[in-house]
Amino acid sequence: MSAREARGPLTTLAVLLAAIGSVAAFFLSVEGYLPWDAMVRSWAAAEDREAEVTGGDATWVVGDVAVRSRHDAVSGYALTGDDKGGKLWEYVPPGRDTVCDSAEHAGAKAVLVALSSGGGSDDADGGSGACSTVLALDAESGRQLWKREWEPAKDPLSDATDLSALDLDARGDLAVVAEDPFEGYPQDGTQERAAKKDGAYALRALDLRTGAPRWTAELPDRCAPDEVSAGEKRVVAVLSCDAGGRDRREVSELTVAVLDRATGAVEWNVPVDARRPLDPATSVVIDATDPLVLAVGSSDEAEGASGLFASFDDDGRPRPTIDFDQGDDGIIGADSLMQTVVAGDRLYALAGYWEKGEHHTVIAFDLRTGDRVWSEEMDDPAAAMTVSGDRLTVLCEWSTQSDDITTLIELDARDGDETDERHFRDPVPRPVSAMYEADGLLVTAGRGGGAPFTAWERW
């Protein structure tokens, strides 16, 4: 056989081997077995029993400790050291008490939670079921630092109602507690959420480590705190305000107030929606405090509306709003975990739409103008997103027909350009409630059962 005749089969073999190598490399890559293209599990906390997700469920990081709060327990896990992922401590509420709320921001190496006592107003032991007890735990040991109880709201028969609740937050050395404005059952049997006429409800600040009172805010007439968030520079509260009173308010509405962290003095208080009074039944969530961004849902008075983001400057002047509904790019899931994040004067959001399966678009908005800065369509459905510096991290599912989180996409937060794509060798436990950077690893937090925290390293 001549050299020319031999080259034909060799060329064919080389092409075939190259094709086989390409296919093998593709499958190794998507399965997380290709170096420089994979995310490998470094450690995982021990799996926990399945549990119903409730209002007290949350995860957050305090120093080198990851905290997981559920209705039945609050636990601390090591993020660094020889015992990474190990449970450092666990606090179990006494008797039939349950965890009904928690402060998700880090502060002074302490954990702030609220307890509901007795399990309900009809409980045989006489417990009210009201979310009316606040306690602080040391983040490193789980030791109780202090405990304080508030008197729960009562119905017209003077019985404690299990609809009473606290909203709380912490930042730095400050704990902030907002007593719920629920007034109880009026005589006509309907439920009403309104400001308490006698001023029994309030917004208070305490020392996070000692529980010592710092201040009690003097809120506007006939207004009571509905939600509160402690920022690094100020405290923000959404207020539910009644009609009438010395300020001659003619209608009930929701407002947002900014308070001085040191004194509790109200710096300004403005309507959530400057165009019209907002129905107090409307859902309003504080997405960020600096800058101030609110996620405003629909109400009974605006059927079919998908909601919007309302942003304000440092003096309380409203900025242009951003609609949840982004047309062909989909609807922003503002009421779902890990779908939005505020960093500086940017709002980053995942907008989802259905077209033979679920699809997502990552959109960056300028909060000062309300305009889009950039948008990037994901090849696979996106499950969660976070921002760290100039890096935006998106976790994606295998396909529109799968719930397994298998892909990590990193985008340049400034312009949306893709900077990295990696594949998880083991699927990420879902749903993902938070993502953290710790000890050079990416840590994902889950809810319900399974592993509370899982750490991944780039390989």
Side-chain angles (χ1 to χ4, degrees):
M1 180 182 295
S2 66
R4 178 177 297 179
E5 292 173 331
R7 276 199 298 268
L10 290 176
T11 301
T12 302
L13 179 61
V15 171
L16 179 61
L17 291 175
I20 294 174
S22 297
V23 172
F26 170 78
F27 282 103
L28 286 172
S29 173
V30 297
E31 294 294 331
Y33 286 93
L34 197 65
W36 305 290
D37 192 38
M39 296 291 291
V40 180
R41 186 168 57 197
S42 176
W43 56 260
E47 290 195 7
D48 210 340
R49 61 192 178 281
E50 292 292 334
E52 181 182 356
V53 176
T54 66
D57 285 29
T59 59
W60 66 102
V61 170
V62 184
D64 294 332
V65 180
V67 180
R68 193 282 314 269
S69 171
R70 300 200 320 184
H71 74 280
D72 55 352
V74 184
S75 308
Y77 296 82
L79 284 176
T80 61
D82 296 333
D83 193 26
K84 294 177 184 178
K87 184 182 291 188
L88 298 174
W89 54 265
E90 182 173 69
Y91 170 84
V92 178
R96 300 184 66 181
D97 290 0
T98 58
V99 178
C100 53
D101 201 2
S102 53
E104 300 178 32
H105 292 138
K109 294 186 178 181
V111 175
L112 190 69
V113 298
L115 301 181
S116 176
S117 60
S121 56
D122 296 328
D123 182 69
D125 297 331
S128 68
C131 188
S132 56
T133 300
V134 176
L135 60 87
L137 307 171
D138 183 85
E140 296 181 345
S141 66
R143 176 177 58 89
Q144 181 175 308
L145 299 174
W146 55 269
K147 179 179 179 180
R148 182 168 177 178
E149 297 183 4
W150 273 266
E151 183 178 353
K154 296 182 179 180
D155 62 21
L157 299 178
S158 297
D159 293 328
T161 170
D162 59 6
L163 293 180
S164 176
L166 300 170
D167 194 75
L168 59 157
D169 201 11
R171 181 86 72 169
D173 61 351
L174 194 70
V176 184
V177 180
E179 298 175 57
D180 190 273
F182 179 77
E183 191 176 28
Y185 290 102
Q187 295 296 334
D188 61 4
T190 61
Q191 295 184 18
E192 181 182 67
R193 295 182 75 249
K196 192 74 170 177
K197 309 297 190 298
D198 58 9
Y201 294 101
L203 177 61
R204 312 177 194 276
L206 306 92
D207 186 285
L208 182 57
R209 294 290 301 183
T210 67
R214 290 280 189 88
W215 47 258
T216 299
E218 293 187 13
L219 299 176
D221 182 34
R222 303 176 71 84
C223 292
D226 198 11
E227 182 171 347
V228 65
S229 183
E232 295 181 356
K233 300 179 181 179
R234 53 193 178 178
V235 173
V236 175
V238 175
L239 306 180
S240 177
C241 299
D242 255 346
R246 63 174 180 269
D247 64 357
R248 301 184 182 278
R249 187 186 305 274
E250 296 181 356
V251 294
S252 299
E253 67 174 322
L254 291 175
T255 67
V256 58
V258 164
L259 297 84
D260 184 279
R261 269 184 63 101
T263 66
V266 177
E267 297 181 351
W268 48 264
N269 177 44
V270 299
V272 170
D273 191 333
R275 301 166 299 177
R276 65 186 188 280
L278 199 62
D279 179 4
T282 306
S283 169
V284 179
V285 176
I286 303 171
D287 265 12
T289 58
D290 186 26
L292 175 55
V293 181
L294 307 176
V296 183
S298 59
S299 70
D300 294 338
E301 294 183 354
E303 293 184 6
S306 65
L308 52 83
F309 295 98
S311 179
F312 302 82
D313 68 15
D314 289 341
D315 296 318
R317 290 186 292 266
R319 291 170 163 177
T321 59
I322 299 169
D323 289 334
F324 293 171
D325 191 341
Q326 290 296 305
D328 291 341
D329 285 326
I331 296 176
I332 298 171
D335 58 348
S336 300
L337 290 171
M338 304 298 291
Q339 302 295 295
T340 62
V341 61
V342 175
D345 281 313
R346 292 273 184 92
L347 167 70
Y348 301 92
L350 292 174
Y353 62 95
W354 187 267
E355 185 178 310
K356 295 181 179 179
E358 192 173 20
H359 300 266
H360 285 90
T361 305
V362 182
I363 308 175
F365 299 93
D366 188 326
L367 289 168
R368 295 165 297 186
T369 64
D371 296 333
R372 287 192 184 199
V373 181
W374 55 262
S375 63
E376 185 71 23
E377 186 172 354
M378 296 287 97
D379 292 333
D380 300 313
M385 176 184 64
T386 190
V387 173
S388 179
D390 291 332
R391 185 175 70 249
L392 189 151
T393 302
V394 185
L395 300 185
C396 295
E397 297 165 357
W398 168 249
S399 73
T400 59
Q401 307 301 321
S402 172
D403 287 337
D404 284 342
I405 297 174
T406 59
T407 307
L408 177 145
I409 302 293
E410 289 187 347
L411 306 175
D412 189 319
R414 295 167 296 187
D415 54 22
D417 288 345
E418 184 174 315
T419 57
D420 196 8
E421 177 179 348
R422 290 175 181 264
H423 301 275
F424 292 91
R425 186 173 299 177
D426 302 293
V428 177
R430 62 171 305 154
V432 176
S433 61
M435 287 188 282
Y436 311 101
E437 295 283 346
D439 203 28
L441 303 175
L442 174 69
V443 180
T444 58
R447 301 187 85 187
F453 300 96
T454 309
W456 312 87
E457 62 179 310
R458 291 168 173 79
W459 183 68

